Amino acid sequence: MNGSVRIGRVVGVPLRMHWSVPLLVVLFAYGLGRQTLPVTTPGRSTVVYALAGVVGAALLTGSLLLHETAHAAIARRRQISVEDVTLWALGGITRMGRPKTAAAAFAVAVSGPLTSLMIGGIALGAGIGLHELSPVLAVPAVVLVWLGWANLFLGVFNLLPAVPLDGGRLVQALLWWRTGDRDRADLAASRGGQVMGGLMVAAGWIALLRGATGGLWLAFIGLFIMVVAGAERRRAALQSALRGVRAADAMSSPVVTGADWLSVQRFIEEVAVTAGHSAVPLLDFEGRPSGIVELRRLAAIPVPQRAELRVRDVATPLSQCAVAAPDDLLTEALEKVNLRTGMRVLVVDAGHLVGIVTGKDVSRLMQRNTLRGRQTAG
């Protein structure tokens, strides 16, 4: 996600934090320390309220991390690749590959809400127990009760049947299991997400017009759900249209390539200026693909450094590129695409580059299939 930085690893995958997380912590700490605690436990000092507010906000952020960690852990156990876990203002995002079975999809989706509900129950029980134990422990008791209710709300909210919420993923898994058609299940669940998001936006605006400022937050969440659900619907439509298509059917060949041992200056003069593409695959001394370099990255290198740097030093290595064999399904190949290389899949056969699939290639293939469909219908 743009605007996030890597802060460590969790269950073996990179953990990233969006810039909005510190803002979220401040808002939670302020609400707990300046509003909730002074009302429920009057008579304490401002320092006590502030410290308790910060601790409560940090614990809630940790709860969000555990929610996403559960998704990542179950995904890895089910042999699903996990790219990273990112915390941000609306909770978190676990980027992973597509599950191979409906059962795996269900297990991954349900793990997050169950974790939040379990944390909520434990925190709520502990808070009530502390309150009964001693009045001196009233402040930590309220923090735990607040944390418990927040997690219970998080767990229940995530069970709403709207993609990308976990409840929407559960609907996807159940429809997939019931119909046996994954693409159909994805389309139905994404439509449901768009409808649910629209209802939340409408409800938020109505609440805002009636004076409830929280309605703006509800409308924002609804808008986010609508946007993501729309993107998922387009992806599901793409998956359906490309069903059964091999990478070899969509690739462009032959491919303009460049030697990875060239200096950046020589590469620009001999390859880049005549390539006609925004990225060029690289070959090593043995003629095997070693990565891909984007021309914009070359352009960003200061002129005095271009004669010293090798082009492979500024390229994306093959290990981080989307690679497929000619007979691999195109839908599976496209799942390997990442933000680093964009919509590009290198097609490699017996260690040699035989083609490349770009966004234009996919668009051209879909247009061709559409024309064929119209011809058949006519």
Side-chain angles (χ1 to χ4, degrees):
M1 176 183 290
N2 293 333
S4 62
V5 295
R6 181 169 173 173
I7 59 174
R9 297 182 71 85
V10 59
V11 295
V13 301
L15 173 63
R16 305 181 66 84
M17 179 182 292
H18 191 253
W19 63 264
S20 60
V21 172
L23 177 61
L24 183 70
V25 171
V26 170
L27 291 175
F28 278 135
Y30 179 85
L32 182 59
R34 293 295 298 271
Q35 298 175 359
T36 304
L37 287 171
V39 172
T40 55
T41 58
R44 271 68 173 183
S45 67
T46 303
V47 174
V48 170
Y49 291 145
L51 181 61
V54 171
V55 170
L59 288 174
L60 183 56
T61 304
S63 300
L64 297 175
L65 175 58
L66 288 175
H67 179 111
E68 295 303 322
T69 300
H71 286 312
I74 297 300
R76 297 196 69 191
R77 182 176 298 178
R78 294 283 183 152
Q79 306 300 315
I80 303 170
S81 62
V82 181
E83 187 171 343
D84 57 31
V85 172
T86 302
L87 294 179
W88 72 303
L90 295 182
I93 295 176
T94 301
R95 293 195 297 172
M96 65 183 75
R98 300 183 80 195
K100 301 300 182 182
T101 65
F106 185 91
V108 172
V110 79
S111 61
L114 286 182
T115 299
S116 294
L117 292 174
M118 182 176 66
I119 294 173
I122 293 173
L124 192 59
I128 295 174
L130 283 180
H131 185 270
E132 296 294 331
L133 186 63
S134 172
V136 178
L137 301 174
V139 171
V142 170
V143 171
L144 286 173
V145 169
W146 174 84
L147 178 67
W149 282 116
N151 273 279
L152 291 176
F153 172 79
L154 177 65
V156 172
F157 178 78
N158 268 279
L159 287 173
L160 290 176
V163 172
L165 299 179
D166 296 325
R169 304 298 183 196
L170 292 175
V171 171
Q172 281 179 320
L174 291 172
L175 289 174
W176 182 7
W177 171 76
R178 183 69 180 273
T179 65
D181 189 331
R182 180 180 192 166
D183 296 331
R184 180 181 172 187
D186 290 351
L187 281 170
S190 60
R191 289 193 193 101
Q194 289 180 298
V195 172
M196 182 67 71
L199 292 175
M200 292 175 66
V201 170
W205 279 112
I206 291 173
L208 185 64
L209 292 175
R210 292 183 175 180
T213 56
L216 185 60
W217 186 248
L218 180 62
F220 177 73
I221 295 175
L223 182 61
F224 168 76
I225 289 175
M226 286 180 63
V227 171
V228 176
E232 295 244 348
R233 184 176 178 181
R234 290 189 293 273
R235 189 187 74 171
L238 177 66
Q239 293 281 339
S240 180
L242 298 178
R243 184 184 298 177
V245 177
R246 301 176 307 138
D249 299 328
M251 71 182 187
S252 295
S253 181
V255 187
V256 175
T257 60
D260 66 359
W261 66 86
L262 293 177
S263 68
V264 171
Q265 185 61 44
R266 280 192 61 191
F267 190 89
I268 291 175
E269 294 172 352
E270 299 177 11
V271 181
V273 293
T274 60
H277 301 283
S278 60
V280 178
L282 302 178
L283 303 180
D284 61 17
F285 278 112
E286 298 179 353
R288 297 177 180 272
S290 61
I292 190 168
V293 65
E294 294 187 342
L295 302 190
R296 61 181 179 83
R297 295 185 66 179
L298 298 180
I301 299 173
V303 175
Q305 298 179 18
R306 293 180 180 180
E308 302 172 1
L309 281 175
R310 300 291 180 185
V311 69
R312 61 182 171 224
D313 297 329
V314 296
T316 301
L318 188 66
S319 60
Q320 298 178 21
C321 296
V323 180
D327 289 332
D328 287 351
L329 291 176
L330 183 58
T331 52
E332 295 181 357
L334 291 177
E335 290 179 12
K336 304 175 185 177
V337 168
N338 55 61
L339 294 176
R340 186 180 295 273
T341 58
M343 179 66 85
R344 301 182 185 93
V345 178
L346 300 179
V347 184
V348 179
D349 186 20
H352 295 281
L353 185 68
V354 296
I356 185 172
V357 180
T358 66
K360 290 182 179 179
D361 294 320
V362 174
S363 177
R364 182 170 59 250
L365 179 64
M366 291 188 67
Q367 290 174 359
R368 190 171 64 201
N369 289 345
T370 300
L371 290 174
R372 286 177 178 174
R374 289 177 179 174
Q375 273 189 330
T376 303

